[in-house]
Amino acid sequence: MINQANIIRDNRKNVKITISTKGELFVFAPKRLSIEKLKEIVEQKQEWIQRKIAYTKSELEKNKYIITNQDFLLYGKGYKIEYYNNKKITVEDDKILFPIDKKDNLIESLKKWYKKLANQILIPRLNQLATKLNLKYSIAKIVDVKAKWGSCDSKQNIKLNYKLIMLPHQLIDFVLIHELIHLIELNHSKQYFLLLSKALPDWKQRRAQIKKYAFLLGLYK
Ligand SMILES: [Zn+2]
């Protein structure tokens, strides 16, 4: 197993084992740790590693049409692109009708469209939920970042990833409420999760579901 691993030595104290979004094994290890000891540690984690690799690969297989730009998600539903003679991008049944004259610019144009939708849909929804929870934020912004669905800082500004618009509504709400609760409690403390449970009792199920969409964060770059 360790032979197939990408081993990265650095100034760390403990071994960290991760599986990339492509299903590759990465082992981060302290510089001086012997290869024998490293083998032993990886061996002990074998079952977890195998399970995680298998899971990652099956998710990749499930999402291959999205990853290869054959399907595009909106509110959790997959759409095929159909080119047509018009200036506007529109949704019809299970198709996204896309202007034929922008064909060479498919991803860039879709990104713009997604961002516009995100502004139209996510910000009003955030307002609605904030009112319901009796919370106030300073500024809300739609952003294009790789690592996160959303964030909330100490100045009470909320940033939302435009790709949230690709998720089912209940997962959009999960992220929006997650960030809104940070207005009261900035860290993921015990108190934070108590407040979150009050606002969204089934947050754990939603958190498990959103993990299946994590691959989206790395797309369309
Ligand atoms: Zn958080």
Side-chain angles (χ1 to χ4, degrees):
M1 196 73 224
I2 190 115
N3 303 324
Q4 297 153 34
N6 300 293
I7 300 167
I8 296 131
R9 299 272 188 176
D10 58 18
N11 291 327
R12 59 177 51 247
K13 287 208 172 74
N14 299 305
V15 174
K16 188 179 151 202
I17 301 172
T18 60
I19 310 299
S20 77
T21 50
K22 287 180 184 149
E24 309 147 309
L25 173 62
F26 282 88
V27 178
F28 297 88
K31 275 183 184 149
R32 285 199 215 163
L33 190 74
S34 73
I35 191 78
E36 288 75 25
K37 185 75 197 151
L38 192 56
K39 265 184 190 165
E40 204 184 301
I41 294 168
V42 173
E43 209 53 49
Q44 281 166 3
K45 285 278 229 164
Q46 206 52 249
E47 213 189 299
W48 177 88
I49 293 169
Q50 292 305 338
R51 218 182 329 121
K52 182 99 192 213
I53 290 178
Y55 175 78
T56 306
K57 292 203 166 154
S58 79
E59 286 299 306
L60 275 178
E61 180 58 27
K62 251 188 255 167
N63 298 319
K64 69 177 174 196
Y65 294 108
I66 295 161
I67 294 164
T68 55
N69 295 338
Q70 296 176 68
D71 281 1
F72 291 90
L73 283 178
L74 183 64
Y75 304 129
K77 189 179 152 190
Y79 292 86
K80 295 256 178 252
I81 295 291
E82 192 173 292
Y83 295 103
Y84 77 149
N85 238 324
N86 206 313
K87 293 275 171 229
K88 266 178 80 178
I89 301 173
T90 18
V91 176
E92 205 179 277
D93 305 321
D94 52 358
K95 283 171 288 189
I96 293 175
L97 301 176
F98 188 89
I100 185 118
D101 57 349
K102 285 187 195 157
K103 199 175 175 177
D104 295 337
N105 235 333
L106 178 70
I107 299 299
E108 269 317 300
S109 302
L110 280 177
K111 268 173 83 169
K112 258 190 213 157
W113 176 70
Y114 274 128
K115 285 176 187 174
K116 201 171 140 194
L117 269 182
N119 266 299
Q120 286 168 352
I121 305 292
L122 301 180
I123 306 288
R125 183 61 184 156
L126 187 71
N127 276 329
Q128 225 175 37
L129 290 168
T131 308
K132 202 175 136 199
L133 294 168
N134 217 354
L135 295 167
K136 262 204 170 80
Y137 57 84
S138 309
I139 298 166
K141 236 169 107 180
I142 300 297
V143 292
D144 181 357
V145 291
K146 213 176 168 177
K148 286 179 181 176
W149 289 116
S151 65
C152 177
D153 64 26
S154 56
K155 289 180 185 138
Q156 317 252 289
N157 296 321
I158 292 180
K159 288 180 185 152
L160 301 171
N161 195 314
Y162 80 94
K163 286 177 183 164
L164 281 168
I165 207 79
M166 299 171 188
L167 307 185
H169 289 286
Q170 75 269 19
L171 298 185
I172 295 178
D173 278 2
F174 165 73
V175 174
L176 269 43
I177 294 169
H178 180 107
E179 300 314 334
L180 285 169
I181 301 298
H182 277 313
L183 293 168
I184 323 172
E185 195 67 34
L186 204 54
N187 299 309
H188 294 142
S189 61
K190 217 171 160 186
Q191 176 65 10
Y192 172 86
F193 287 107
L194 273 174
L195 292 164
L196 182 62
S197 298
K198 255 190 212 156
L200 196 67
D202 68 346
W203 66 268
K204 274 188 188 162
Q205 281 100 297
R206 299 192 202 208
R207 187 178 64 177
Q209 285 166 25
I210 205 170
K211 286 192 177 141
K212 293 188 188 301
Y213 292 92
F215 74 96
L216 285 173
L217 292 170
L219 291 183
Y220 316 127
K221 281 288 159 184

